[in-house]
Amino acid sequence: MQKIYTKIQSIVGNVVSVRASGVRNGDLALVGDSYANVIKLDNDLVYLQVFAGTQGVSTTDPVKFLGKPMMVSYSDHLLGRIFTGSGVPKDNGPALTENMIPIGGPSVNPTRRIVPKKMIRTGIPMIDMFNTLVESQKLPIFSVSGEPYNELLARIAMQAEVDVIVLGGMGLKYDDFLFFKDTLEKSGAMGHTVMFIHTAADPTVECTLVPDLSLAVAERFALDGKRVLVLLTDMTNFADAQKETAITMEQVPSNRGYPGDLYSCLASRYEKAVDFDGLGSVTILSVTTMPGDDVTHPVPDNTGYITEGQYYLKGGRIEPFGSLSRLKQNVNGKTRSDHRALMDCMIKLYSAYRESLEKKSMGFLMSEWDEKLLKYGKLFEDELMDLRVNISLEEVLDLGWKILAECFEPNETGLKTNLIRERWPKDLESE
């Protein structure tokens, strides 16, 4: 039997407290007409965060505990739909109430997991060739405000070879939300996409729910045999929402005011990435903006200990130095025989190009080798690093050989002779 309490002890920000018994952490409740969830228990004092905010809530409003956690509908009817951070339709479509599943559950038992070994093709050369995305991987995109990280996520959503895309937006500008919506609808990718969107104008509590909603739905799709890619933006906004809640709860702050359990908050979400044996998989690619381009900021710093590498987005490009997919060796030895050797060769030469570019900027005399490197670096940046490029891995590898042949003699690349005989373009000679 659901008990109703009519004496609210306190109202602070979006959090109310009431004395009640038989309540569990994470349970749903109704405060007046607004949904709330239990975020802290202190003996019989229960703290609830109200989804719609506490404006208009009085201390005499009824509080009814529903005896169940926050839940979301799961079915194929989710595909093509857009919801708010509390699971309410945002696309003027019908509410979905069938097959409700709880959110925020534990990560998958390690015995159900298998070693990641399948590549996710994105059509982006700097990912597919140099830092391959692997199924069940969890990778952040470290960036700063102003970089086109949402454009990058939209491009990945359009081009990634997966069955389902789950897009979770946190603290988005309304223009960014419309950009995602319009881009995916025009490309046709919306048909296999589910969106959970929290905009900057929405209640803060909904921001904290977006990852849990997204990952709960993704996990069920994976159990049904689907390859699911979860795209989250921006996890720094998620952490800031957790920080705001912690301050409201008068918790002792940790580094830069973030809650002491920030690591656990992030890890419990990222660890939902999984590859089920004989079923589907959940892969997580998230944006983490770095205030002041500071990688030691608590959010990127904690994230780095959880994830399996990172992509750095700088100057509108995925930076080859610093970006790392630690699981790429699980798959890029099985793609094409020249993948690893060509990848290593091109990055080595690009590093030499950076040195020549620095010498040129300082006014040093350029040698013939420096001029070759400068030509190579320009081609590398224009044809491989441009995020607008959308070509298959095989086309990228062929293009890599073409760029090398346009700039160097075969013996200048450091590649093995047998590989050069097999792959070097016969119709191109270096100038």
Side-chain angles (χ1 to χ4, degrees):
M1 181 178 177
Q2 296 174 343
K3 292 184 178 180
I4 299 177
Y5 301 85
T6 56
K7 187 178 180 181
I8 294 176
Q9 300 292 315
S10 66
I11 303 174
V12 181
N14 294 326
V15 177
V16 303
S17 62
V18 63
R19 296 197 178 276
S21 59
V23 179
R24 297 171 301 180
N25 200 28
D27 275 0
L28 268 183
L30 277 171
V31 178
D33 296 325
S34 300
Y35 281 101
N37 69 324
V38 177
I39 57 174
K40 182 182 177 182
L41 299 174
D42 185 3
N43 294 321
D44 66 340
L45 190 60
V46 181
Y47 294 86
L48 305 105
Q49 193 164 25
V50 184
F51 294 167
T54 55
Q55 186 174 0
V57 175
S58 73
T59 55
T60 57
D61 280 353
V63 177
K64 180 168 69 173
F65 293 95
L66 304 183
K68 60 182 181 181
M70 176 76 179
M71 304 187 84
V72 63
S73 174
Y74 165 72
S75 69
D76 286 341
H77 297 303
L78 285 173
L79 298 176
R81 297 295 307 275
I82 305 172
F83 301 89
T84 68
S86 56
V88 177
K90 196 180 180 72
D91 55 5
N92 298 320
L96 301 179
T97 57
E98 76 279 6
N99 194 23
M100 303 297 286
I101 59 173
I103 72 169
S107 56
V108 176
N109 189 318
T111 62
R112 294 290 307 277
R113 300 168 183 254
I114 60 175
V115 177
K117 58 180 182 297
K118 299 176 186 175
M119 172 186 178
I120 294 181
R121 293 171 177 255
T122 66
I124 297 174
M126 294 307 296
I127 294 178
D128 290 357
M129 180 172 178
F130 296 101
N131 276 297
T132 312
L133 182 63
V134 183
E135 276 191 43
S136 82
Q137 197 166 16
K138 43 190 181 289
L139 276 178
I141 301 171
F142 286 161
S143 185
V144 296
S145 296
E147 292 287 348
Y149 47 81
N150 286 331
E151 287 83 348
L152 174 59
L153 282 193
R155 185 162 290 279
I156 292 172
M158 289 188 293
Q159 299 171 188
E161 295 184 6
V162 293
D163 300 317
V164 176
I165 296 287
V166 181
L167 176 62
M170 293 158 279
L172 291 182
K173 297 177 183 177
Y174 201 76
D175 286 349
D176 289 332
F177 159 58
L178 292 179
F179 166 76
F180 277 121
K181 179 176 179 291
D182 294 344
T183 301
L184 296 181
E185 286 179 345
K186 289 177 182 176
S187 68
M190 196 66 199
H192 64 272
T193 300
V194 186
M195 295 172 64
F196 293 97
I197 300 296
H198 167 265
T199 66
D202 294 331
T204 303
V205 61
E206 292 187 7
C207 184
T208 65
L209 295 173
V210 166
D212 292 335
L213 288 166
S214 302
L215 293 165
V217 166
E219 187 173 276
R220 290 303 296 266
F221 274 119
L223 287 170
D224 284 347
K226 305 289 187 182
R227 302 170 71 204
V228 188
L229 178 58
V230 180
L231 305 174
L232 300 173
T233 176
D234 165 5
M235 289 301 284
T236 301
N237 288 337
F238 166 77
D240 287 342
Q242 296 284 0
K243 175 181 177 179
E244 184 176 328
T245 301
I247 291 172
T248 301
M249 299 293 296
E250 298 182 352
Q251 294 180 9
V252 177
S254 184
N255 191 5
R256 303 198 197 185
Y258 286 93
D261 65 346
L262 175 63
Y263 179 90
S264 298
C265 287
L266 294 170
S268 62
R269 276 81 186 179
Y270 281 115
E271 289 300 333
K272 290 297 186 91
V274 61
D275 195 349
F276 290 105
D277 190 6
L279 300 173
S281 63
V282 176
T283 308
I284 301 174
L285 195 59
S286 68
V287 170
T288 298
T289 52
M290 302 181 294
D293 201 12
D294 179 13
V295 75
T296 66
H297 182 276
V299 181
D301 187 36
N302 278 279
T303 300
Y305 288 102
I306 302 165
T307 53
E308 295 140 350
Q310 66 282 319
Y311 296 137
Y312 278 97
L313 186 63
K314 291 184 179 180
R317 297 165 171 165
I318 295 177
E319 179 67 30
F321 306 118
S323 295
L324 172 65
S325 168
R326 290 196 178 96
L327 299 184
K328 64 183 177 182
Q329 67 270 21
N330 289 8
V331 298
N332 60 15
K334 307 170 187 175
T335 49
R336 207 169 84 172
S337 60
D338 59 333
H339 186 165
R340 283 188 179 178
L342 188 60
M343 171 184 70
D344 292 342
C345 167
M346 296 194 76
I347 286 297
K348 180 184 69 175
L349 290 170
Y350 186 71
S351 176
Y353 153 74
R354 287 280 186 88
E355 293 177 4
S356 294
L357 197 62
E358 187 175 356
K359 285 166 60 179
K360 183 179 180 181
S361 68
M362 296 172 66
F364 287 97
L365 184 65
M366 293 288 99
S367 65
E368 183 181 351
W369 175 245
D370 288 322
E371 294 295 344
K372 288 186 175 184
L373 288 171
L374 291 174
K375 178 182 178 181
Y376 166 77
K378 183 71 167 57
L379 288 172
F380 186 96
E381 291 178 347
D382 290 346
E383 300 194 32
L384 295 180
M385 293 183 71
D386 191 329
L387 295 179
R388 293 170 296 181
V389 175
N390 175 22
I391 54 179
S392 69
L393 174 62
E394 289 72 24
E395 290 175 308
V396 174
L397 294 170
D398 291 340
L399 179 59
W401 283 108
K402 179 174 177 289
I403 292 172
L404 288 178
E406 287 183 10
C407 302
F408 306 106
E409 296 294 336
N411 61 353
E412 294 174 327
T413 62
L415 290 165
K416 291 183 178 180
T417 304
N418 60 342
L419 200 57
I420 289 175
R421 287 174 180 164
E422 179 185 356
R423 298 289 182 181
W424 194 266
K426 300 297 186 291
D427 56 338
L428 288 174
E429 298 292 338
S430 64
E431 297 178 0

